[in-house]
Structures are given as structure tokens and as C-alpha cells.
Amino acid sequence: MFDGLLITLQIILAVIAVYQFVFSLFGMYRKKRKIQHAPEKSFAILVAAHNEEQVVGALMENLKELNYPRELYDVFVICDNCTDRTAEIVRSHGMNACVRTNNNQRGKGFAIEWMLKKLWEMPRQYDAIVMFDADNLAHPDFLKEMNNDLCEGARVIQGYIDTKNPEDSWITASYGISYWYVNRLWQLSRHNLRMANFLGGTGMCFETNLLKEMGWGATSLVEDLEFTMRCVDRGVHPVFNYDAKLFDEKPLSFKASARQRLRWMQGHFTVARRYFFPLLWKSIKERSLIKMDMALYAVNVYIVLITFLLAALVWADQSLFRGPHFSTLYSYLPVWASFFAVGANVITFLLAMALEKVTFKKVYLYLILFPVYLISWYPITFYAFFTQNNKQWSHTQHTRVVRLEEVQSKQG
């Protein structure tokens, strides 16, 4: 019975892995042409900030230079429980600093919900809401691309999240590789297949009427994933705009990265518990591949956990107890199958970098440490499972300023 359970779990994991690999192949091509619409949509740009005096000024300068009529967008920075000069710097750039103080409801999700209520009370109403983080930089055409999608009927849009400091350390390089992979072989593949895309926490655009209908209501540690699930559950499918690029700063050290990823996994467990079974049931009832795909994405955190536990069990059995004492899926397959599985995983990351024409030389040198970053997800997820009820928001510290010109010059 134990052997049967293990084999069943491994077969399920293998089927899901093959499913994801097949999907990734549809991200190998891009549609060249799309309709360009004249600027007509108005935007409220929200920036959630907590003690961001180091980086918020660069973003304010960046947002002034967008290739979009200045009268069609306003910037609102949510200075959430700030104790530094964030609000002062924002006002010095002529932008709106909205000060919020609430020690009981801390975190980005609560800050956004508070700001949206303020927006709905203002005399001017906007067609759409765009959300950035304070350490971001937006491509000059970002709002033009959002306008194009909104004019085509999109209601929720995710931009292309790139890394603005991939050469700073092996950790930032690992983030960069992961995001190039996700953008090209997860997001673009689903966009090409007209599936629902998932939100990434920044570079997001929402139709105002949709937010008023649904309410924000996403206050978990991963408010982006939570809102994605709510959208798909209602039949609203977020779309991906490959050309709407923004650049996000990544943590420099492994410790800071582990703390950030732990928060993501803790929040992911919460969302998985809440949305996996309802979406799975609806996908079966409605025969919806889109809902099935999103249900699998919701439960991915449990897939990582089970994979880690199975690997640890096999290792302990063979290394500590002179096994094997039970069967594994690979014992029924030829030896080359295991090498193929590992090789295919490595090749997909290299393929994504090739397709994205990555020119950062240091990133290629850091590739040797990329497996360490990937493996580290397993203990982080394991620890997150036992601490998932921790709702404390952890803030990522920023120590230097990077401007868009610097990022673009390094990209060639």
C-alpha cells in the first residue's frame, strides 16, 4: 500500500511536470504586430511605499518621463507607516503623497485597499488603476501598452517584470533568470493560448469599474495571487503584455532573498487552501481548462512541498537505512529517463535566456550557482508550511539608486 501511494504521487507529479513543459513550448514565439490605439484612457498610478526614501525619487523622475499625455495620468504614493522622508521626496517631485498610519493593518494589501477607498471619493475618476512598487522603473511606453490592451477589452493586465540589478550578486542573477523564464515560458505561453495569466505584484493594471464591482479584498501576504484567483473564479482572465516592461529591484543577499521568498510561500499556502478546491470543482463542472490551469498554479506550493518530502524520503532510505526499501517511479523507467528529466529542466531556463537575448555577462558566470537558488526553495517551502499562519509583513531594504538609463545601457 505504501509503495502504491508513493508511485501514485510520483505519477501525478510527473504528469503535472509534463503538462507544464508542454505549455512552455507555446512561449517560444511572439506575435509581431498588434493594434496601436491613440491615448484615451486615464490612469491613477498607485505606489505602495514603506520607508522608501532611497529609491522613490528615481521612480518619481521615471514616471514624469512616460510617453503618455501628462493630463491623462496622476501618481499617488501611499506612504504607509513611514518614518523617513518618503512623503517629502514625493511632494518635491510634484506627486501626491498619501500618508497612512495603521499599526494594526500593515502591509501592501491593506495599503492598497485604503487608497482605493480614497480614490473613489475623489472628484476625478480614472478609467484604470496601475500599481507599482517604490523600487520599480517603468519603460516609457508602459501606459501606452496598457491603453492598447484596455481599448481591446482587457480588464486586468500584467506587465513584463524584469530585473533592474541582475549583475549585483548571484542572488539577483538567479532572480533575473527565474523571471526571464516565467515571462517567456509561463506568461507568454498562456497569453498565446488565450489562457488566464497570473499577476506578479507590480506592473499591474485594473479597469476601475472592475475594481469597484469586485472590491480589492486582497490583504494576504500575496495579494497579487489572491486577486488573480478571485478574477479567474469570476470568469475574468488577466492578460499579459510582453511589451509593457518594468524593472524591479531584487534583494542582494541570500538571507534577504530567503526572507522574501518565505513570505511568498506563507501567503501561497493561504491562497491554495482558500481557492484550490473551489477552482478545481468549477473547472470540472464547467469543463474549463483555464480554471484547471489556475487551480494547479494555486496548489503549486504543495507540489513543491511534496516533491521535497519525497526526495528527502528516498535519500534517507538509501543513504541512512541501506535501501531501497520501497519502489520509486524511476525504478520502472530506463536510466536515461532521469537524466532527460533533469536535462529538460535545465534546458528550459537556458532556452528562456536565449529567447530573451540576455546580454548580461555576469549572469552567465553566476549560472553555476543557480541550482543552489532553485534547491533552496524546498527548505523555504517546508518551513513556510509550518509558519503559514504568520501574517507579518517583511519589508525589503533598498540601499542604492538605479535609474532607467543605467538599466537600458547594460541591456545593450
Side-chain angles (χ1 to χ4, degrees):
M1 184 180 293
F2 186 65
D3 272 12
L5 176 62
L6 288 181
I7 293 295
T8 300
L9 282 175
Q10 290 174 74
I11 290 174
I12 293 172
L13 293 176
V15 169
I16 293 173
V18 171
Y19 167 84
Q20 297 292 8
F21 177 76
V22 171
F23 256 68
S24 70
L25 298 178
F26 291 90
M28 295 181 66
Y29 69 94
R30 284 180 56 201
K31 297 177 181 178
K32 298 290 185 180
R33 298 274 184 181
K34 62 181 180 181
I35 299 173
Q36 296 292 322
H37 293 267
E40 63 174 83
K41 302 294 183 180
S42 59
F43 296 91
I45 299 178
L46 305 190
V47 181
H50 172 68
N51 290 345
E52 301 287 7
E53 65 179 6
Q54 291 291 332
V55 293
V56 74
L59 176 60
M60 297 300 100
E61 293 172 10
N62 169 234
L63 295 179
K64 291 178 186 177
E65 302 300 323
L66 297 179
N67 294 332
Y68 203 75
R70 190 63 187 85
E71 67 274 11
L72 287 179
Y73 71 94
D74 290 316
V75 179
F76 301 89
V77 179
I78 314 164
C79 304
D80 187 38
N81 294 292
C82 290
T83 56
D84 65 354
R85 298 175 55 250
T86 298
E88 179 184 338
I89 294 170
V90 170
R91 293 188 183 111
S92 72
H93 286 277
M95 305 298 191
N96 301 289
C98 306
V99 178
R100 174 182 182 266
T101 304
N102 189 326
N103 291 320
N104 296 321
Q105 294 182 329
R106 302 176 68 90
K108 184 177 174 181
F110 289 112
I112 291 171
E113 192 163 50
W114 174 85
M115 188 67 237
L116 290 176
K117 290 178 181 177
K118 297 288 184 184
L119 275 180
W120 306 156
E121 296 170 356
M122 293 181 182
R124 181 180 185 182
Q125 294 295 294
Y126 302 87
D127 295 313
I129 309 298
V130 167
M131 298 183 190
F132 289 122
D133 288 339
D135 61 326
N136 291 168
L137 296 170
H139 188 281
D141 291 337
F142 191 91
L143 290 186
K144 287 176 64 176
E145 292 296 334
M146 295 295 111
N147 178 73
N148 288 337
D149 282 348
L150 289 168
C151 290
E152 291 293 314
R155 307 191 76 187
V156 182
I157 311 157
Q158 174 61 55
Y160 184 118
I161 304 176
D162 208 340
T163 306
K164 74 179 183 183
N165 60 331
E167 293 186 301
D168 280 359
S169 71
W170 72 275
I171 281 292
T172 61
S174 297
Y175 272 101
I177 296 167
S178 298
Y179 275 79
W180 292 318
Y181 166 79
V182 167
N183 282 309
R184 188 66 191 239
L185 300 181
W186 275 64
Q187 294 281 51
L188 185 59
S189 60
R190 281 158 176 78
H191 178 73
N192 287 339
L193 293 169
R194 299 184 180 275
M195 302 281 284
N197 288 101
F198 53 87
L199 299 173
T202 186
M204 306 176 291
C205 179
F206 307 89
E207 182 191 65
T208 296
N209 288 337
L210 177 68
L211 281 177
K212 288 182 176 180
E213 291 169 15
M214 291 180 58
W216 178 243
T219 54
S220 69
L221 294 178
V222 284
E223 74 291 329
D224 50 349
L225 179 61
E226 186 178 359
F227 197 83
T228 302
M229 298 298 158
R230 292 182 60 213
C231 284
V232 175
D233 184 60
R234 292 169 61 101
V236 177
H237 302 154
V239 303
F240 176 62
N241 190 311
Y242 182 92
D243 298 307
K245 290 199 173 186
L246 67 142
F247 301 90
D248 186 42
E249 184 178 332
K250 301 305 178 188
L252 298 176
S253 68
F254 181 84
K255 182 178 179 181
S257 166
R259 185 167 57 246
Q260 182 186 66
R261 289 183 286 152
L262 175 63
R263 172 173 60 82
W264 290 348
M265 292 297 99
Q266 288 169 334
H268 205 138
F269 275 114
T270 300
V271 172
R273 290 198 315 269
R274 190 176 302 169
Y275 292 98
F276 171 64
F277 285 111
L279 275 176
L280 181 64
W281 170 244
K282 282 191 174 183
S283 72
I284 296 171
K285 186 178 179 181
E286 301 172 12
R287 298 180 182 179
S288 170
L289 179 59
I290 293 176
K291 285 187 171 63
M292 174 68 75
D293 184 63
M294 198 53 66
L296 286 177
Y297 184 68
V299 82
N300 189 58
V301 66
Y302 281 100
I303 293 172
V304 174
L305 177 64
I306 293 170
T307 301
F308 172 66
L309 293 176
L310 286 175
L313 179 64
V314 171
W315 176 85
D317 178 54
Q318 297 185 358
S319 301
L320 303 179
F321 301 104
R322 299 179 181 180
H325 295 98
F326 48 81
S327 299
T328 64
L329 181 61
Y330 287 109
S331 64
Y332 295 97
L333 298 173
V335 176
W336 60 264
S338 59
F339 289 101
F340 176 80
V342 174
N345 189 43
V346 173
I347 288 171
T348 53
F349 285 102
L350 295 175
L351 176 63
M353 293 177 68
L355 290 169
E356 295 302 272
K357 300 177 182 178
V358 176
T359 58
F360 297 103
K361 294 180 180 179
K362 283 187 179 180
V363 171
Y364 287 96
L365 295 176
Y366 286 134
L367 270 171
I368 193 172
L369 292 173
F370 183 59
V372 178
Y373 171 82
L374 291 179
I375 293 171
S376 68
W377 280 99
Y378 291 118
I380 289 172
T381 304
F382 181 75
Y383 184 66
F385 176 75
F386 293 100
T387 59
Q388 58 186 281
N389 291 325
N390 177 18
K391 308 299 182 184
Q392 184 176 357
W393 181 269
S394 59
H395 177 243
T396 302
Q397 297 290 336
H398 305 292
T399 57
R400 70 186 186 91
V401 177
V402 179
R403 287 180 166 78
L404 186 62
E405 297 79 14
E406 182 181 348
V407 176
Q408 291 176 325
S409 66
K410 287 186 176 182
Q411 286 186 325

